[in-house]
Amino acid sequence: MRTVELLLDESAESAVREAWRRLADAGLPSQARHRSPTNSPHLTLAACPELTTPIRWELAEVAAVLPLPVRFTGVIRFERPTSVLAWALDLDSALAGLHRRVWEAVASDSPPEGLNPFHAPARWSPHITLGRTRHPGAFAGRRVAELLPAPPLSARLITLRSYDTETGALEVLEPRP
C-alpha cells in the first residue's frame, strides 16, 4: 500500500512533536513512541495499492500548488477501529480542492477495494495524529487536551510524499519540471 501525505512546515512540525512528547511523558499513546526514521507529523490524503504513472502525473500537478496554508481547529478524537487523538485542520476550499484532486488521482487508476473509504472526500476529516492505540476509548474521559500545547494557529503544508507500507520507503513527490 502507498500513502499520499503532506508534511508540515518546521514550526508546526515542532509543535506536533512537542504534543507527542507530552503524551508520551504522561504515559498515554503517542506517535513519539514510533522510532522509525520515517515517522514525522503528516496529513494523510489517501492510500492506494500502487502509484501508477497516471497517478504520479496527477500528483505532480498537486505538488506544484504547495505550500498550502492551513488552520488548526483543535483536538479531535476518533474511534475507528483504533482510538486516535489528533489536531484537526480546517477543511477550507483550498484544502478540500487539493484533497479531491489527490482522491480522484488515486481512484482513477486503483481498484475500488484498494482504497480506504475514510479517505473519500465525503468522509475525510483532515487531522494530524498525536496518538493512536488499538485500545478502544483510550483517550475518552481523560483531560488530554490540558496536557497538550495549544496547536499552532496556522501552518503550511509544504511537501507531498508517499510512504510504502510494505518496504518502509519514503518518496517525495515533486512537481513536474
Side-chain angles (χ1 to χ4, degrees):
M1 188 65 64
R2 296 291 299 260
T3 64
V4 180
E5 307 168 346
L6 286 166
L7 300 180
L8 298 164
D9 64 64
E10 187 176 329
S11 177
E13 178 178 337
S14 293
V16 172
R17 288 187 184 276
E18 174 63 14
W20 289 1
R21 184 193 62 75
R22 290 187 188 190
L23 288 170
D25 288 352
L28 292 168
S30 169
Q31 294 304 99
R33 298 189 198 290
H34 299 282
R35 299 288 184 203
S36 167
T38 62
N39 183 36
S40 60
H42 64 274
L43 171 63
T44 301
L45 300 167
C48 58
E50 177 185 0
L51 290 183
T52 63
T53 299
I55 293 171
R56 287 175 178 282
W57 274 97
E58 292 299 319
L59 294 179
E61 288 186 18
V62 170
V65 305
L66 299 175
L68 181 71
V70 292
R71 261 185 352 98
F72 284 85
T73 60
V75 174
I76 190 169
R77 293 179 178 99
F78 301 105
E79 296 289 337
R80 58 173 199 201
T82 58
S83 291
V84 175
L85 179 74
W87 277 337
L89 295 173
D90 180 33
L91 186 56
D92 63 15
S93 61
L95 182 55
L98 182 144
H99 174 256
R100 181 168 298 284
R101 290 176 66 190
V102 169
W103 176 260
E104 289 172 354
V106 300
S108 72
D109 205 32
S110 298
E113 64 276 4
L115 300 175
N116 183 334
F118 288 118
H119 294 150
R123 296 185 68 189
W124 184 65
S125 181
H127 64 278
I128 308 296
T129 300
L130 303 176
R132 157 190 333 258
T133 180
R134 293 177 193 244
H135 302 290
F139 300 107
R142 299 188 185 221
R143 300 174 77 152
V144 175
E146 295 171 10
L147 294 171
L148 300 173
L153 294 177
S154 62
R156 290 179 311 127
L157 301 169
I158 58 170
T159 304
L160 187 67
R161 77 173 186 181
S162 177
Y163 175 70
D164 187 321
T165 61
E166 292 177 23
T167 67
L170 284 177
E171 176 185 359
V172 172
L173 302 169
E174 302 280 353
R176 284 193 299 265

